[in-house]
Amino acid sequence: MPQMIFVNLPVRDVARATAFYEAVGASKNPNFSNDDASCMVFSDVIHVMLLSHAFFSTFTTKAIPDARETCQVLICISQESREAVDAMVARAEAAGGRADPGPKQDYGFMYGRSFEDLDGHVWEISWMDPVAAQKGPEAHAAANA
């Protein structure tokens, strides 16, 4: 079994957050979802657990910060092209998220944008040229000189 990542996010409204993430492109795994949690699948190895504040609180004694006011993490997920980056941000905005809370990034070999979900969690969406991803940005520059 491959190593997997589960990002756990506290959300105010599980059903509403689930609909948002479905609109962005994730699919809900009903086997690990209920009224307090939704398991949203981005790929075979990337899952996002949307947890009600009450359920999230059973995993930590720390306060749940308001992600609209504070930022503790930036979650980044890659896409296969610049166009796919733009499309994912557009879907997020159409579903009620906020597009581009941070500046767009365009370095030629790497392109990125971001969105905030309904609870203010920031997602960076990025594309990197396959040559640069494998050999570094200098290799991309040399190949495109």
Side-chain angles (χ1 to χ4, degrees):
M1 183 172 186
Q3 190 172 27
M4 301 168 69
I5 184 168
F6 290 84
V7 177
N8 295 284
L9 296 177
V11 299
R12 288 177 181 84
D13 183 325
V14 173
R16 198 166 162 246
T18 300
F20 174 84
Y21 279 90
E22 287 175 326
V24 169
S27 59
K28 180 180 171 182
N29 180 340
N31 294 331
F32 296 97
S33 301
N34 57 34
D35 290 341
D36 288 317
S38 279
C39 178
M40 305 306 296
V41 179
F42 279 95
S43 75
D44 290 343
V45 295
I46 302 170
H47 299 74
V48 176
M49 295 299 299
L50 305 173
L51 308 175
S52 69
H53 281 221
F55 189 44
F56 190 93
S57 294
T58 66
F59 297 100
T60 182
T61 59
K62 293 182 179 183
I64 298 172
D66 183 344
R68 293 180 185 143
E69 301 294 326
T70 63
C71 184
Q72 189 171 21
V73 297
L74 300 171
I75 306 160
C76 184
I77 191 165
S78 66
Q79 294 295 297
E80 66 276 359
S81 67
R82 291 171 169 265
E83 295 79 17
V85 169
D86 291 337
M88 188 171 196
V89 173
R91 289 192 308 270
E93 186 173 36
R98 187 174 88 140
D100 300 309
K104 294 178 185 178
Q105 301 172 12
D106 192 346
Y107 301 106
F109 70 94
M110 185 172 74
Y111 176 70
R113 295 183 61 192
S114 59
F115 67 82
E116 286 184 6
D117 70 8
L118 302 177
D119 289 273
H121 303 290
V122 179
W123 284 81
E124 293 184 327
I125 313 305
S126 68
W127 165 84
M128 186 178 293
D129 178 273
V131 172
Q134 183 138 19
K135 298 180 180 179
E138 294 79 20
H140 168 80
N144 291 293

